[in-house]
Amino acid sequence: MKNARLGDLVASRIGLGAMTMAGTYTTGGPLDDTESVRAIHRALDLGVTHIDTAEVYGPFHSEEVVGRAVKGRRDKVQIATKFGLVQHHGNGHSFGTDSSPANIRAAVEGSLRRLDTDYIDLYYQHRVDPDTPIEETAGAVAELIAEGKVRHFGLSEAAPATIRRAHAVHPVAALQTEYSLWTRDVEDEILPLLRELGIGLVPYSPLGHGLLTGQIRSVDDFGDDDWRRTNPRFTGDNFHRNLAIVDEVTAIGAENGATPAQTALAWLLTRGDDIAPIPGTRRIARVEENTSAEGIQLTADQLHRLDSLQPAAGERHDEANMATIDR
Ligand SMILES: NC(=O)c1ccc[n+]([C@@H]2O[C@H](COP(=O)([O-])OP(=O)(O)OC[C@H]3O[C@@H](n4cnc5c(N)ncnc54)[C@H](OP(=O)(O)O)[C@@H]3O)[C@@H](O)[C@H]2O)c1
């Protein structure tokens, strides 16, 4: 597997997102940690070195699974995790943004323990905290880097001005945001800024929360508590309009003997070697399918047709979630 460059961090250009190992999307039966661990092992065997998690996934459960999986293989993996959506109070916690230095200090100790490691390769602020100046957050992460607990600093869903301010305190290695065939707004302002500053881009939900895989044809495919049931892109007319995008991706993929998931990932890989998508799955067969997207060659005509797809209908998150995104 070739590598991508995220600031000073070198990571496999296709990574693995570990969010569904703790739920969130509830299609396909109950969680199975043993299967999740095996999926991570398969990814590592296939050359994936970049595993993405967060303390809020579960909460905490995804980090525990990743910690179990990397035991004995720690030096082969770059672990990325995130703070700032769990508020720590002594032995308890609640949910909400908090990127104060004290909360980051509490968060990092829990993440290190669950991940069973003494350093985190890439430590992201999960959402910008309107109550803590980004300089304070960046300063706190810089201290953790100086202490050796963290190696690289990342931001998620940060606006251009915030990225500049954080980067002025400590170099940001990577920005994480949604980027895929159906979510391309990052190309207007953020991607040029990242390139100006030498920051890598880690596209989350590169398979459109699963829709771009072609495996979801109806909201009835979702469990009752599936997060996507209330996502604007999966509801009402938007869902049907978005299926038309998937059909187009499926047709283009078929010309190469590729699945729609592989086609969506292969397209992302053409966007630059500073881009490292993290498709999420907890299943071995899907890890194999997604990582082999690296070998798919798209023709100029196919690229043109993929570039010309309609953007998705509907906002990428519901109103409450959109409100947490720094703009
Ligand atoms: N920074 C942030 O705010 C943020 C937000 C969202 C996500 N993330 C990160 O990004 C990662 C990926 O995002 P995501 O999980 O939202 O979306 P995604 O990667 O676009 O899609 C994941 C969904 O697609 C399914 N899937 C994966 N590969 C498949 C395949 N080949 N065929 C059929 N279905 C397939 C998965 O199901 P199974 O798991 O059941 O296989 C899961 O339901 C997450 O794991 C997380 O680490 C970050």
Side-chain angles (χ1 to χ4, degrees), residues 106-261:
V108 77
E109 296 306 329
S111 290
L112 289 169
R113 191 180 63 252
R114 288 183 291 277
L115 291 164
D116 200 11
T117 183
D118 50 11
Y119 67 95
I120 292 162
D121 296 278
L122 177 55
Y123 202 31
Y124 290 97
Q125 179 193 48
H126 209 153
R127 287 289 182 277
V128 174
D129 175 4
D131 298 323
T132 305
I134 195 69
E135 289 78 5
E136 284 184 26
T137 301
V141 176
E143 281 176 19
L144 296 177
I145 291 172
E147 291 166 23
K149 292 181 175 178
V150 167
R151 299 223 164 139
H152 301 274
F153 175 31
L155 296 173
S156 170
E157 298 288 16
T162 311
I163 297 169
R164 277 192 192 280
R165 285 169 53 199
H167 193 70
V169 176
H170 188 88
V172 175
L175 177 88
Q176 194 168 125
T177 185
E178 189 167 344
Y179 184 32
S180 70
L181 276 173
W182 76 350
T183 307
R184 297 184 56 179
D185 22 341
V186 68
E187 291 174 356
D188 297 339
E189 197 182 353
I190 290 188
L191 193 49
L193 172 67
L194 299 182
R195 287 185 166 151
E196 176 198 325
L197 299 178
I199 300 172
L201 175 63
V202 174
Y204 79 65
S205 306
L207 305 174
H209 308 287
L211 195 72
L212 289 170
T213 68
Q215 299 293 310
I216 296 164
R217 301 304 298 183
S218 154
V219 281
D220 297 333
D221 292 336
F222 300 144
D224 288 343
D225 57 346
D226 194 299
W227 174 91
R228 293 168 293 192
R229 275 192 178 273
T230 53
N231 181 287
R233 292 189 174 174
F234 292 87
T235 39
D237 271 357
N238 289 345
F239 183 73
H240 297 286
R241 285 164 62 192
N242 291 333
L243 283 179
I245 299 176
V246 182
D247 291 342
E248 190 96 26
V249 178
T250 304
I252 294 170
E255 296 168 12
N256 299 324
T259 66

Side-chain angles (χ1 to χ4, degrees), residues 3 11 14 28 31 70 79 104 121 168 184 264 302 327:
N3 286 320
I14 299 178
L31 296 180
V70 303
I79 300 177
I104 296 171
D121 296 278
R184 297 184 56 179
Q302 289 168 342
R327 286 188 277 189

Side-chain angles (χ1 to χ4, degrees), residues 20 25 52 127 156 176 205 207 209 280-281 283 286 290:
T20 58
Y25 309 150
D52 186 82
R127 287 289 182 277
S156 170
Q176 194 168 125
S205 306
L207 305 174
H209 308 287
T281 183
R283 296 168 213 285
R286 291 176 175 177
N290 297 345

Side-chain angles (χ1 to χ4, degrees), residues 92-114:
H93 69 271
S94 53
F95 297 105
T97 50
D98 186 348
S99 287
S100 62
N103 198 51
I104 296 171
R105 285 254 159 219
V108 77
E109 296 306 329
S111 290
L112 289 169
R113 191 180 63 252
R114 288 183 291 277

